[in-house]
Amino acid sequence: MRMKRVDIMKVGVIGIGITKFGEIWEQGLRELLLDAQLRALNDAKIDAKQIDSLFTGNMIAGLASGQLHIGAMAAENLNLNKPSVRVEGACASGSLALRQGIAAIESGSADIVMASGVEKMTDISTEQVTTALMGAGDEELEGFNGLTFPGLYALLASAYMKEYGLKREVLAEVSVKNHFHGARNPYAQYQSEITVDTVLNSTMVADPLTLFDCSPITDGAASIILASEKTAKKMGAEVYITGSGLATDTLSLARRKSLLRLDAGINAAQSAYKQAGITAKDVSFAEVHDCFSIAEIYAVEALGLAKQGEAAQLYTSKQTYFDGKKPVNTSGGLKACGHPVAATGIKQAIEATMQLRGEGGKRQVKGATTGVTYNVGGSGGTACVHVFKKMK
Amino acid sequence: MFRESPIIRWRNYSDRYKLRGYKCTKCSATYFEYKGMCPCGNLDFTEIDFSGRGKIAAFTQIHGGPEAFENKTPYCVAVIDLVEGARIEAQVMDCKYEDLKIGTEVEAVFRKFYSSGEKGVIHYGTKFVPKF
């Protein structure tokens, strides 16, 4: 009888490094990236020369800092002349860099890889950031009409709230929970708790989304060092990536099949779960893309943590807190931790690694064995999901 | 940021001014503005000038605008289902925001959008007004 052999991909996480997220006036693009890179090398206890390839996510440095060619910059930072590539997929750029790193190891072209994400956003005005971020939407069909990113997600919120009866106060619970977690995360931009009233009474950005429904403008960088299973085991790594899923959809909302779900998110989750051999029931916690509160509602449904249209229940019953049944965004999410666009995907991977290593401090999820990260580019034009496993 | 070249917008003038779309010759799917390849695999389209009538499928009022629209806030943007089948995103104006609902019927109007700087080209396009 022929046995069916199941090969589960395993790429080890051997080092993590993250800068403080926030308005970091003292550091520029290059310094932020170097800071995260050095911290990751320090955590991995390896020399930079051991890195075979580098992949660095970045979205707006071309517009905000007049700096492109981030691949060469990332290698130069460490005095390396190795293969180094900049990866861009809007707000999902970090996860795409991670996925490229995994692919390099899986292909055999590299044994040790550094995947980073960096964004310097506070050097330009809010209007300029708004314009630059809108590059992730459809410039002709959306940008020309005055749409903004909060505007796109507000359109989704209006359709979802009407269809499923999601209440404004319940949507606010997403931000309240994320600030609760942020208050327990030392590298978060906002380490303060808020209430539902804080969200409801804050400045309107794009109806129904207020300032406290929106992730902030943030500087920051994050780096992660990956190794092949063999090397990672030798180095005593505890955390392995066992699934990576990536899917795309139309740039504009108008050309999507539905406004009530993100198909790219659903497809990315399904392919990552399939590769890792898990289902939504196996997930101990999730780090998801809450660029706006409504985006977290779409995320938990795409990941199968709630059925389509039923995510509200998770929030009214407070199950998404770190000590609940389905912890979501223990880092504080994009809302409280901050959203240095391309650094976010790597930050999610770092939070997953910290939780599985038991380094979650005051926000530690007890007995966590499987973590999932869910990173979105644009209003759902790109979605990238990774599965992290604790292995001893 | 770079100063916008008039050419970028000029290319789409005929589509925008006439609210012109494209209909797939094989599966009849319709799109506002050019669509390269229909999901059915076909590359042939016939031009269709939309009537401009439609219904709101989703809407918002934007209070923090991008550079070109920062002096025009607050303004309303909606996803609109045109009666011919295509779905588009456009501004809805000349109304009280509070009066709008999902399902409100709207009609296309030709309006000024913005100019590229003080001496730059003025851009026009299609906005919508409700039919109460």
Side-chain angles (χ1 to χ4, degrees), chain A residues 86-97:
Chain A
R86 176 241 184 153
V87 184
E88 194 273 318
C91 317
S93 300
S95 289
L96 298 192

Side-chain angles (χ1 to χ4, degrees), chain A residues 63-64 124-132 134 139-148 150-152 154-156 158-159 162 204-208 250 252-259, chain B residues 1-2 4 8-9 11-12 16 31-36 57-70 75 77-79 87-91 97 102 113-114 123-126:
Chain A
L63 288 162
I124 56 175
S125 73
T126 302
E127 289 76 18
Q128 286 175 320
V129 170
T130 305
T131 307
M134 202 45 217
E139 207 282 322
E140 288 178 21
L141 298 178
E142 296 177 329
F144 180 71
N145 288 297
L147 266 159
T148 59
L152 291 172
L155 288 173
L156 291 175
S158 96
K162 168 93 185 322
M204 189 61 81
V205 174
D207 186 65
T250 61
S252 70
L253 289 181
R255 289 188 172 178
R256 303 264 171 85
K257 289 198 181 80
S258 170
L259 296 175
Chain B
M1 307 274 172
F2 297 109
E4 191 178 271
I8 295 175
R9 301 301 180 197
R11 262 182 227 120
N12 299 314
R16 290 221 171 99
Y31 304 94
F32 173 59
E33 295 203 353
Y34 183 63
K35 173 83 183 171
F59 66 106
T60 180
Q61 188 176 41
I62 292 176
H63 292 257
E67 284 171 298
F69 293 89
E70 62 186 307
Y75 53 89
V77 186
V79 176
R87 179 172 261 196
I88 74 171
E89 289 159 73
Q91 289 192 23
Y97 176 69
I102 288 177
F113 272 49
Y114 65 93
H123 299 292
Y124 296 87
T126 303

Side-chain angles (χ1 to χ4, degrees), chain A residues 222-281:
Chain A
S223 288
I224 190 163
I225 304 178
L226 307 173
S228 65
E229 185 184 5
K230 200 177 153 192
T231 302
K233 272 190 179 158
K234 233 185 272 176
M235 298 176 82
E238 288 176 73
V239 179
Y240 292 80
I241 300 172
T242 58
S244 174
L246 173 62
T248 54
D249 205 340
T250 61
L251 287 178
S252 70
L253 289 181
R255 289 188 172 178
R256 303 264 171 85
K257 289 198 181 80
S258 170
L259 296 175
L260 303 172
R261 52 173 207 269
L262 298 187
D263 284 339
I266 293 168
N267 293 333
Q270 283 173 357
S271 70
Y273 286 180
K274 192 180 170 197
Q275 189 178 20
I278 66 161
T279 67
K281 284 181 186 151

Side-chain angles (χ1 to χ4, degrees), chain A residues 107-131:
Chain A
S107 75
S109 77
D111 190 46
I112 297 181
V113 161
M114 177 181 270
S116 308
V118 60
E119 215 73 67
K120 181 71 198 169
M121 303 180 73
T122 64
D123 281 349
I124 56 175
S125 73
T126 302
E127 289 76 18
Q128 286 175 320
V129 170
T130 305
T131 307

Side-chain angles (χ1 to χ4, degrees), chain A residues 95 98 239-245 265-266 268-274 276-289 299-305 326-331 344-356 365 368-375 383-390:
Chain A
S95 289
L98 179 68
V239 179
Y240 292 80
I241 300 172
T242 58
S244 174
I266 293 168
Q270 283 173 357
S271 70
Y273 286 180
K274 192 180 170 197
I278 66 161
T279 67
K281 284 181 186 151
D282 300 313
V283 175
S284 314
F285 65 88
E287 269 293 304
V288 309
H289 202 87
V300 297
E301 292 180 0
L303 289 173
L305 303 180
K326 292 176 180 174
V328 177
N329 278 336
T330 52
S331 72
T344 285
I346 303 291
K347 178 219 76 181
Q348 294 178 331
I350 288 175
E351 178 67 15
T353 304
M354 288 174 76
Q355 286 289 349
L356 294 173
V365 176
T369 58
T370 306
V372 168
T373 61
Y374 169 101
N375 194 194
C384 194
V385 174
H386 284 96
V387 179
F388 293 74
K389 275 259 186 195
K390 184 188 177 87

